[in-house]
Amino acid sequence: MKVDWNRRACARHGHVTYAPDEATLRERLRTETRLGAAWRCLRCGDFTLGAPAGSGPADQAPLVPRGKVLRDLLLLRFLAFERAVRGVFIVLAAAAVWKFSNSQDSVRRLFDEYLDVFRPVFRHFHYDLDHSPVVDTIQKSFGYKHSTLVLVAVLLLAYALIEIVEAVGLWYAKRWAEYLTVVATAAFLPLEVYELTEHVSWLKIGTLVLNILAVLYIALAKRLFGLRGGHRAFEAERRSDSLLEVADTAGVR
Ligand SMILES: [Zn+2]
């Protein structure tokens, strides 16, 4: 099924109408109906009744993302959202590690008390808590040095910051954010692959696949690093797709 991104965006945000000062151009975007003047939407191309939302010289008209450009914009917003969620979770993890580093002893005491309470219960079900991998991992973490934990918290916070900066930049379709996302995501790929060799989980595989796709997609669709003609080709594509531009070239002919 082919999704009409233009109509979808118009249904959510309303049509974008504009009256250019240039008379020939204006006539191409305007039509007279029994109910009054109607203006052509710069995004979906439908005529809508009522006064235009804006007016002025044609080159001052809003550059409305439509078609493929609009679809790319929405996909990047999805990535921005995914990164914002991940960023918030990592901040929480950093805060937890930080808190733990300051109260390691009391947490250990509490944990041991719980372990004493639950040991008989688990033994009843033939489960040996003292040799459980989860308990083992937690007990090992009590042995970590305070400085190690602080370092882990700081690194997590730095990683979260990168994710959040990416999220904000991608949401507003900033080109630097696209570069940052591609570079930072690609830089972490070897670590993600290494993680998988240690322990395989579907979440890790999913994250790795999503990140590889994101790197390839952003670099190619946004023509980063001079790919497919680079920035100039990207701007040209954005403009050539604008309906005002289409009307303009039609008017010249
Ligand atoms: Zn529309």
mmCIF file of all heavy atoms in Angstrom, residues 6-7 9-11 14-16 40-46 48, ligand 1:
data_model
loop_
_atom_site.group_PDB
_atom_site.id
_atom_site.type_symbol
_atom_site.label_atom_id
_atom_site.label_comp_id
_atom_site.label_asym_id
_atom_site.label_seq_id
_atom_site.Cartn_x
_atom_site.Cartn_y
_atom_site.Cartn_z
ATOM 1 N N ASN A 6 1.710 13.381 1.982
ATOM 2 C CA ASN A 6 1.247 14.767 1.873
ATOM 3 C C ASN A 6 -0.121 14.947 2.515
ATOM 4 O O ASN A 6 -0.338 15.831 3.333
ATOM 5 C CB ASN A 6 1.180 15.185 0.406
ATOM 6 C CG ASN A 6 2.547 15.135 -0.247
ATOM 7 O OD1 ASN A 6 3.563 15.268 0.422
ATOM 8 N ND2 ASN A 6 2.552 14.939 -1.556
ATOM 9 N N ARG A 7 -1.081 14.064 2.100
ATOM 10 C CA ARG A 7 -2.448 14.201 2.623
ATOM 11 C C ARG A 7 -2.484 13.931 4.121
ATOM 12 O O ARG A 7 -3.241 14.535 4.863
ATOM 13 C CB ARG A 7 -3.387 13.245 1.893
ATOM 14 C CG ARG A 7 -3.625 13.683 0.477
ATOM 15 C CD ARG A 7 -5.083 13.537 0.043
ATOM 16 N NE ARG A 7 -5.370 14.442 -1.076
ATOM 17 C CZ ARG A 7 -4.850 14.255 -2.292
ATOM 18 N NH1 ARG A 7 -4.054 13.241 -2.541
ATOM 19 N NH2 ARG A 7 -5.132 15.123 -3.245
ATOM 20 N N ALA A 9 -0.103 14.559 6.300
ATOM 21 C CA ALA A 9 0.394 15.744 7.006
ATOM 22 C C ALA A 9 -0.655 16.842 6.996
ATOM 23 O O ALA A 9 -0.846 17.538 7.993
ATOM 24 C CB ALA A 9 1.688 16.224 6.352
ATOM 25 N N CYS A 10 -1.362 16.999 5.866
ATOM 26 C CA CYS A 10 -2.387 18.038 5.779
ATOM 27 C C CYS A 10 -3.550 17.735 6.721
ATOM 28 O O CYS A 10 -4.135 18.640 7.306
ATOM 29 C CB CYS A 10 -2.897 18.175 4.345
ATOM 30 S SG CYS A 10 -1.765 19.122 3.313
ATOM 31 N N ALA A 11 -3.896 16.439 6.853
ATOM 32 C CA ALA A 11 -4.996 16.062 7.746
ATOM 33 C C ALA A 11 -4.644 16.423 9.187
ATOM 34 O O ALA A 11 -5.495 16.827 9.972
ATOM 35 C CB ALA A 11 -5.275 14.567 7.631
ATOM 36 N N GLY A 14 -3.273 20.705 8.747
ATOM 37 C CA GLY A 14 -3.993 21.658 7.909
ATOM 38 C C GLY A 14 -3.231 21.966 6.644
ATOM 39 O O GLY A 14 -2.036 21.678 6.533
ATOM 40 N N HIS A 15 -3.942 22.539 5.671
ATOM 41 C CA HIS A 15 -3.309 22.851 4.379
ATOM 42 C C HIS A 15 -2.407 24.075 4.491
ATOM 43 O O HIS A 15 -2.561 24.890 5.396
ATOM 44 C CB HIS A 15 -4.382 23.113 3.328
ATOM 45 C CG HIS A 15 -5.222 21.895 3.050
ATOM 46 N ND1 HIS A 15 -4.714 20.773 2.478
ATOM 47 C CD2 HIS A 15 -6.541 21.653 3.273
ATOM 48 C CE1 HIS A 15 -5.688 19.874 2.351
ATOM 49 N NE2 HIS A 15 -6.798 20.378 2.832
ATOM 50 N N VAL A 16 -1.472 24.184 3.561
ATOM 51 C CA VAL A 16 -0.569 25.341 3.514
ATOM 52 C C VAL A 16 -0.879 26.114 2.237
ATOM 53 O O VAL A 16 -0.584 25.640 1.140
ATOM 54 C CB VAL A 16 0.909 24.899 3.490
ATOM 55 C CG1 VAL A 16 1.818 26.108 3.591
ATOM 56 C CG2 VAL A 16 1.189 23.917 4.613
ATOM 57 N N ARG A 40 -4.631 26.691 -3.846
ATOM 58 C CA ARG A 40 -4.044 25.365 -3.927
ATOM 59 C C ARG A 40 -3.063 25.165 -2.770
ATOM 60 O O ARG A 40 -2.219 26.024 -2.504
ATOM 61 C CB ARG A 40 -3.306 25.232 -5.254
ATOM 62 C CG ARG A 40 -3.172 23.821 -5.662
ATOM 63 C CD ARG A 40 -2.853 23.666 -7.116
ATOM 64 N NE ARG A 40 -2.643 22.250 -7.341
ATOM 65 C CZ ARG A 40 -1.817 21.729 -8.228
ATOM 66 N NH1 ARG A 40 -1.153 22.523 -9.032
ATOM 67 N NH2 ARG A 40 -1.689 20.440 -8.337
ATOM 68 N N CYS A 41 -3.207 24.048 -2.088
ATOM 69 C CA CYS A 41 -2.308 23.737 -0.965
ATOM 70 C C CYS A 41 -0.913 23.421 -1.511
ATOM 71 O O CYS A 41 -0.757 22.661 -2.451
ATOM 72 C CB CYS A 41 -2.864 22.559 -0.170
ATOM 73 S SG CYS A 41 -1.720 21.924 1.052
ATOM 74 N N LEU A 42 0.103 24.029 -0.908
ATOM 75 C CA LEU A 42 1.485 23.821 -1.379
ATOM 76 C C LEU A 42 2.008 22.435 -1.045
ATOM 77 O O LEU A 42 3.034 22.018 -1.550
ATOM 78 C CB LEU A 42 2.414 24.872 -0.764
ATOM 79 C CG LEU A 42 2.224 26.326 -1.210
ATOM 80 C CD1 LEU A 42 3.281 27.206 -0.592
ATOM 81 C CD2 LEU A 42 2.243 26.441 -2.720
ATOM 82 N N ARG A 43 1.293 21.713 -0.167
ATOM 83 C CA ARG A 43 1.758 20.376 0.192
ATOM 84 C C ARG A 43 1.029 19.308 -0.616
ATOM 85 O O ARG A 43 1.664 18.547 -1.334
ATOM 86 C CB ARG A 43 1.589 20.121 1.693
ATOM 87 C CG ARG A 43 2.167 18.781 2.117
ATOM 88 C CD ARG A 43 2.427 18.713 3.606
ATOM 89 N NE ARG A 43 1.359 19.350 4.350
ATOM 90 C CZ ARG A 43 1.555 20.078 5.434
ATOM 91 N NH1 ARG A 43 2.747 20.232 5.919
ATOM 92 N NH2 ARG A 43 0.537 20.632 6.061
ATOM 93 N N CYS A 44 -0.307 19.260 -0.504
ATOM 94 C CA CYS A 44 -1.014 18.147 -1.143
ATOM 95 C C CYS A 44 -1.553 18.523 -2.517
ATOM 96 O O CYS A 44 -1.948 17.653 -3.295
ATOM 97 C CB CYS A 44 -2.139 17.643 -0.248
ATOM 98 S SG CYS A 44 -3.478 18.823 -0.043
ATOM 99 N N GLY A 45 -1.624 19.822 -2.846
ATOM 100 C CA GLY A 45 -2.084 20.235 -4.170
ATOM 101 C C GLY A 45 -3.584 20.402 -4.279
ATOM 102 O O GLY A 45 -4.083 20.803 -5.333
ATOM 103 N N ASP A 46 -4.329 20.108 -3.214
ATOM 104 C CA ASP A 46 -5.785 20.292 -3.241
ATOM 105 C C ASP A 46 -6.126 21.778 -3.143
ATOM 106 O O ASP A 46 -5.390 22.554 -2.537
ATOM 107 C CB ASP A 46 -6.429 19.564 -2.062
ATOM 108 C CG ASP A 46 -6.481 18.068 -2.286
ATOM 109 O OD1 ASP A 46 -6.176 17.634 -3.415
ATOM 110 O OD2 ASP A 46 -6.802 17.348 -1.319
ATOM 111 N N THR A 48 -8.344 24.691 -1.511
ATOM 112 C CA THR A 48 -9.139 24.881 -0.296
ATOM 113 C C THR A 48 -9.737 26.272 -0.303
ATOM 114 O O THR A 48 -9.085 27.235 -0.708
ATOM 115 C CB THR A 48 -8.285 24.741 0.979
ATOM 116 O OG1 THR A 48 -6.994 25.261 0.703
ATOM 117 C CG2 THR A 48 -8.190 23.325 1.431
HETATM 118 ZN ZN ZN B 1 -2.908 20.184 1.817
#
